[in-house]
Amino acid sequence: MKKLKKILLFFTAIVMVLIISGIVYIKIKYPPEKVKEILISKMSEFLSREIEIKNVTVGFAGLKVEGLRISEKPTFKEGSFVEAKQFLIKPNLAALLKKEISINKIILVAPKINITRYKANSFNFSDLIVAQSTASAKKEKTEKSEPVGLPFAFVVSKLNITEGNIKFTDKIPQNLSTEIKNINVFLSGISLVKPFFVEASLDIVQKNINGFVSLKSSVDIKDQKLKIKEAIVLLNGAGLKISGDIEKFMEPEKLSFAIKIKDEKLLAEKLVKLFSIPKDLTISGSPTVDFDISGTVSKIHLYGKIDIKNVDVSFAKVFNKPKNTEAFLLADILIENLDTVKINDVSIGLDTLKIKTS
């Protein structure tokens, strides 16, 4: 037993020496300034934009890039397209022995993306999509004519994005300019063959709307299944809770879903602030929402109930519905091919009055 322990310690020591030697060799062969120069050159060539990097570090922690900036096309005179305070890649060196390019963790700190939509309905990244499509076509042609080498599996165990920001500037008449702040994304156990976990949260700011979205879900790319364990959507403090399943999300013609929507801290007085309502109309209280949305793109089934028993509604001296008075909307609706609506049942109740149609 002691002899086995010694052998294991010996091999562990050898592996450690090899890893340290490899890192030292990489640092000597590729000093930070050289790595920085290579990154700037390759990224600039690929993106057709100016690239700035303040600092690059290569070591036991992996590759760390600080102060990354990508210009609008073609130079920084046009502004900044992408910025990031820090970008860190922690590789798993031992995985190379298994023909895997394995990364333990990717961390992106404070990324900022500026997206602009122009009047011609094009975006400031449209050129990148065209370039990528051309490159993909060339690659596909090359792959058909050239023999394929030994495949390498690409694995990323964890991805963290913190303090992200996306600013969307809209220059068309509708002006849907929006800013998404405090983007935090956590992906763990990322895999192409088994489910992995996704957690995200962000704030949305648009004109008079302040929104918050949080998501906890699992993604199975192989079987094309997305399970929403819990998603919270708050608009000006009025919220909904969403859960359910989406299948075949990469094949629109086969996509199917079963989503449940319920109220979550839903206050009527906050919800109505999202709409233009008459000054004499006052609404307050907590409505109850319980809706199921299921089906496919060609056949969407909506079934559920909105209960406003605990909501007070009054309009000048014409109408008054106090709290604890029965009031609800029940709907069973089928939407086919996005152009036909079948009303199986719509029921409206107010106190003792009930109306039903189909």
Side-chain angles (χ1 to χ4, degrees), residues 138-150:
K138 286 181 180 177
K139 185 180 177 184
E140 201 172 310
K141 190 176 179 182
T142 305
E143 285 176 347
K144 286 179 181 178
S145 58
E146 293 180 3
V148 180
L150 288 171

Side-chain angles (χ1 to χ4, degrees), residues 8 27 44 52 95 131 154 171 177 205 253 265 295 309 352:
L8 288 171
K27 291 193 76 171
S44 181
E52 280 186 6
F154 185 75
K171 295 188 176 181
S177 296
V205 180
E253 67 282 357
K265 299 177 181 177
K309 183 178 180 179
T352 57

Side-chain angles (χ1 to χ4, degrees), residues 223-252:
D223 293 332
Q224 296 187 51
K225 291 182 179 180
L226 170 65
K227 186 174 185 63
I228 303 171
K229 295 180 180 178
E230 182 182 270
I232 304 292
V233 180
L234 298 176
L235 295 176
N236 288 0
L240 294 172
K241 183 189 288 185
I242 302 166
S243 61
D245 300 285
I246 300 173
E247 297 189 6
K248 302 299 177 184
F249 54 79
M250 295 170 70
E251 302 175 63

Side-chain angles (χ1 to χ4, degrees), residues 37 71 73 80 95-96 98 149 163 186 207-208 220 229 268 272 295 300 304-305 323:
E37 187 182 319
S71 76
K73 190 178 180 180
S80 292
L96 288 171
K98 302 176 185 177
E163 303 171 30
F186 175 71
K207 294 180 181 177
N208 296 324
D220 188 334
K229 295 180 180 178
V272 294
I300 303 170
K305 184 178 181 180
K323 288 183 181 179

Side-chain angles (χ1 to χ4, degrees), residues 23 26-27 30-37 39 53-67 85-91:
I23 291 170
I26 290 170
K27 291 193 76 171
Y30 298 101
E33 284 304 314
K34 188 174 181 180
V35 175
K36 179 178 171 180
E37 187 182 319
L39 283 174
I53 294 174
K54 283 186 179 180
N55 190 37
V56 173
T57 307
V58 181
F60 290 98
L63 173 67
K64 184 195 288 185
V65 177
E66 294 177 307
K85 187 177 179 181
Q86 187 183 102
F87 179 58
L88 176 64
I89 299 177
K90 293 184 175 182

Side-chain angles (χ1 to χ4, degrees), residues 240-299:
L240 294 172
K241 183 189 288 185
I242 302 166
S243 61
D245 300 285
I246 300 173
E247 297 189 6
K248 302 299 177 184
F249 54 79
M250 295 170 70
E251 302 175 63
E253 67 282 357
K254 295 181 181 179
L255 184 142
S256 64
F257 49 86
I259 305 295
K260 181 173 280 294
I261 300 174
K262 296 179 72 70
D263 53 283
E264 172 71 14
K265 299 177 181 177
L266 186 57
L267 298 176
E269 55 267 38
K270 291 185 176 182
L271 184 63
V272 294
K273 288 181 181 179
L274 300 172
F275 311 97
S276 297
I277 62 170
K279 290 182 180 179
D280 293 333
L281 178 63
T282 59
I283 303 174
S284 63
S286 303
T288 300
V289 177
D290 192 351
F291 257 88
D292 291 325
I293 304 175
S294 61
T296 63
V297 175
S298 60
K299 189 175 285 187

